[in-house]
Amino acid sequence: MKPIFSTVGIVGAGAMGRGIAQIAAQTGSSVLLFDMQLDATRAAQTAVFSQWDKLCAKGRLDAAQAVLYKSRLQCADALTALVSCDLIVEAVVERLDIKASLFAELEGLVRPTTVLATNTSSLSVTAIAAQLKRPAQFAGFHFFNPVPLMKVVEVIAGLKTSASVCSDLAAYARQMGHTPVQAQDTPGFIVNHAGRGYGTEALRIVSEGVTDFATIDRILKDQIGFKLGPFELMDLTGLDVSHPVMESIYHQYFEEPRYRPSIITAQRLAGGVLGKKVSDGFYRYENGIAQISPEPPPPQVAEMPPVWVSPRASRRAELLLLLKNLGAKIETGASPSSMALTLVAPLGFDITTVAVVERLDPARTLGIDMLVDDAATQRRVLATNPATRTDMRRAAHALMARDGKAVSVIRDSGGFVTQRVVANMVNIAADICQQNVCSPTDLETAVTLGLGYPMGPLAMGNLYGPTNVLEVLFNMQTVYGDPRYRPSPWLRRRGAIGLSLLHEEE
């Protein structure tokens, strides 16, 4: 199949530029790679050639095909060499002034029909194109690193971008073997915008002293199925990359509380504690392997107290069945006896609030997170309140670990860990749809392919129940008094009428 763009110019010979050049050549386009430093251009070409040679050695690419690919990838020694290109993709440093200047120069060289595209991940496409005479021919074409493996591409229309330009870029992305998603020109586009809920809420939990980095990572991997916990992910990405993105999106949205960055990452960035690349981040690394202390074994309790479960507990029937299967002695009275371990299972509220409202003895009260079906999770999470007695904490921990399932015990937190992280992810995704940044379908595609989540945030909201997510948000807003947790109207309306979060409006 003939490629939509026969001749493609790539400006910038870093990892992103190399990756785009590689897949463009594989698609059938003639590719001209340019960088201000000619040595970098040659090195990038050599690196791509080496990649094809490795694929040949592994039997994943025919030698004749590799020769053909190599013939399509040439180095350009000046920007003027790109004059005949049908498409030029920029992948240079993330600075508005540099990108805008580059495109102004390119526009004066190329044909009026040439499509100019920026690979920016965080800058406004409209702002980059502001001084162009033909902004209709300009769009965002955002790939993810490593380009050959990350199969999603954000196609971003600026304020004056022609619809046909976006259509051609999307079709070309499909020819490349990638999945295009259409996004409006808003801060973070889709992927970097939707990713705000995961890391920033985890950082907020740590900043409240609820628990430590490793425990949060364990909880979110074991309860939800994330491949990497938020702190493992930030270590892998590097805080020199992730923290500036947090700040950029926060400020571009005029200090919207949902995107508020954390002093924790600001301080660690200033101190050079960047992550795996420097062997020191939220974890220490030896030979590239995180050094994580093993979890201590569950406590041994000689005599287990009886257990009373709040009548307001979420999934109460399931919790009572779980306790029965664990061999607990269950009290069934209207109120707990003076000896009973008291369990509550709130959505969004902290344990202190529940104990006060339900007039329970806080010294004997713990919470258990029942947002996720116990059968579907590999870890149970308990929360104490400031007055919880040590013997009650130990008894609850020992009881919940009787069948060998992992148990984490955290300090009091509105929404535990999983509830608040999931609710924030779903709420931000809902507000992306509210703003018409993209369709629900494109949002789910972009997040699952671009961030590697076990499912998209809207599917996650459907799984755990939009009404449950709304209850978590409303109650967290009560606990914390922070507009960060106000529900998106898009989510509130769908939750109120029982509509799937994946429903596409007419």
Side-chain angles (χ1 to χ4, degrees):
M1 181 186 297
K2 182 180 178 182
I4 289 174
F5 297 103
S6 298
T7 306
V8 176
I10 308 294
V11 181
M16 192 67 74
R18 293 198 306 269
I20 300 170
Q22 178 179 335
I23 61 171
Q26 291 170 184
T27 303
S29 301
S30 296
V31 180
L32 288 169
L33 180 61
F34 172 76
D35 194 281
M36 290 296 291
Q37 297 180 356
L38 187 58
D39 288 347
T41 310
R42 302 293 184 195
Q45 183 191 48
T46 300
V48 175
F49 284 5
S50 176
Q51 187 65 30
W52 285 325
D53 290 340
K54 289 177 182 177
L55 292 174
C56 287
K58 294 177 181 178
R60 294 166 57 187
L61 182 65
D62 181 81
Q65 195 71 43
V67 171
L68 180 60
Y69 289 167
K70 290 177 181 179
S71 70
R72 295 175 182 155
L73 177 55
Q74 305 295 321
C75 292
D77 57 6
L79 207 58
T80 52
L82 309 183
V83 65
S84 62
C85 290
D86 304 309
L87 166 68
I88 298 177
V89 182
E90 161 272 315
V92 301
V93 65
E94 282 286 276
R95 277 183 50 184
L96 177 61
D97 57 338
I98 291 176
K99 291 179 187 287
S101 175
L102 170 64
F103 282 112
E105 184 176 357
L106 281 169
E107 187 182 47
L109 297 174
V110 301
R111 300 187 302 263
T113 56
T114 297
V115 172
L116 301 177
T118 175
N119 186 61
T120 183
S121 61
S122 61
L123 299 175
S124 166
V125 172
T126 300
I128 297 172
Q131 302 305 315
L132 297 182
K133 297 175 182 176
R134 298 188 296 274
Q137 290 298 109
F138 183 82
F141 203 33
H142 180 216
F143 291 82
F144 294 82
N145 210 17
V147 176
L149 301 179
M150 298 293 285
K151 297 294 186 178
V152 65
V153 185
E154 294 175 323
V155 178
I156 305 107
L159 195 61
K160 298 180 180 180
T161 303
S162 165
S164 63
V165 165
C166 288
S167 178
D168 286 347
L169 287 172
Y172 188 52
R174 291 188 193 95
Q175 288 184 330
M176 290 172 154
H178 282 47
T179 300
V181 289
Q182 301 276 352
Q184 294 300 316
D185 186 18
T186 53
F189 311 129
I190 304 174
V191 175
N192 282 327
H193 188 168
R196 293 310 90 216
Y198 193 48
T200 57
E201 191 61 24
L203 285 160
R204 187 176 173 91
I205 293 167
V206 170
S207 72
E208 293 172 14
V210 172
T211 190
D212 56 33
F213 306 129
T215 299
I216 292 174
D217 280 350
R218 288 180 179 121
I219 289 171
L220 292 169
K221 288 191 295 182
D222 291 349
Q223 287 208 317
I224 304 298
F226 288 101
K227 294 177 183 177
L228 293 174
F231 299 104
E232 291 174 316
L233 182 60
M234 283 186 274
D235 268 1
L236 182 63
T237 305
L239 289 186
D240 54 332
V241 174
S242 57
H243 181 79
V245 170
M246 292 182 207
E247 287 197 335
S248 173
I249 292 177
Y250 177 62
H251 292 307
Q252 286 184 76
Y253 269 107
F254 301 102
E255 285 66 57
E256 161 59 54
R258 290 192 184 107
Y259 314 129
R260 189 184 299 128
S262 171
I263 188 63
I264 293 173
T265 48
Q267 184 184 57
R268 297 172 84 86
L269 175 60
V273 185
L274 306 180
K276 191 174 181 179
K277 65 179 71 176
V278 296
S279 299
D280 190 11
F282 294 106
Y283 302 100
R284 292 283 303 171
Y285 293 83
E286 293 182 9
N287 299 318
I289 299 173
Q291 304 302 297
I292 306 173
S293 299
E295 293 185 87
Q300 299 295 315
V301 176
E303 186 174 352
M304 193 69 66
V307 182
W308 182 88
V309 177
S310 165
R312 301 183 188 180
S314 59
R315 294 185 186 264
R316 187 171 188 268
E318 295 173 34
L319 179 53
L320 288 169
L321 180 59
L322 170 62
L323 291 168
K324 179 181 177 182
N325 292 337
L326 292 173
K329 180 181 177 181
I330 302 172
E331 290 190 357
T332 57
S335 59
S337 71
S338 61
M339 301 294 294
L341 164 64
T342 303
L343 286 182
V344 298
L347 292 174
F349 280 129
D350 58 0
I351 313 311
T352 299
T353 299
V354 175
V356 171
V357 170
E358 297 189 23
R359 298 184 178 181
L360 303 172
D361 179 3
R364 295 183 289 115
T365 302
L366 287 94
I368 180 169
D369 188 355
M370 294 295 291
L371 177 70
V372 183
D373 182 358
D374 186 74
T377 181
Q378 299 178 46
R379 179 176 295 270
R380 299 181 183 118
V381 178
L382 298 168
T384 60
N385 68 77
T388 302
R389 291 196 326 236
T390 300
D391 62 321
M392 289 294 165
R393 176 181 58 77
R394 288 172 56 82
H397 188 170
L399 174 62
M400 288 297 166
R402 272 184 175 175
D403 60 356
K405 187 168 283 192
V407 176
S408 292
V409 183
I410 64 174
R411 295 187 182 93
D412 211 354
S413 167
F416 297 88
V417 171
T418 295
Q419 290 180 22
R420 61 193 291 179
V421 171
V422 166
N424 272 274
M425 291 172 61
V426 174
N427 198 35
I428 287 173
D431 216 55
I432 288 173
C433 295
Q434 179 73 64
Q435 297 175 40
N436 286 320
V437 173
C438 64
S439 69
T441 298
D442 274 2
L443 188 148
E444 296 290 283
T445 299
V447 170
T448 50
L449 292 178
L451 295 174
Y453 289 173
M455 67 189 84
L458 300 179
M460 199 176 291
N462 279 343
L463 177 64
Y464 301 125
T467 55
N468 286 337
V469 173
L470 278 169
E471 186 173 349
V472 170
L473 290 167
F474 281 128
N475 292 342
M476 285 181 64
Q477 198 173 9
T478 299
V479 171
Y480 292 106
D482 191 336
R484 173 185 182 85
Y485 301 115
R486 71 194 189 283
S488 166
W490 196 93
L491 174 62
R492 182 173 52 77
R493 291 169 186 140
R494 280 152 184 77
I497 60 180
L499 190 65
S500 167
L501 300 184
L502 294 171
H503 175 77
E504 300 272 1
E505 290 192 48
E506 296 291 336

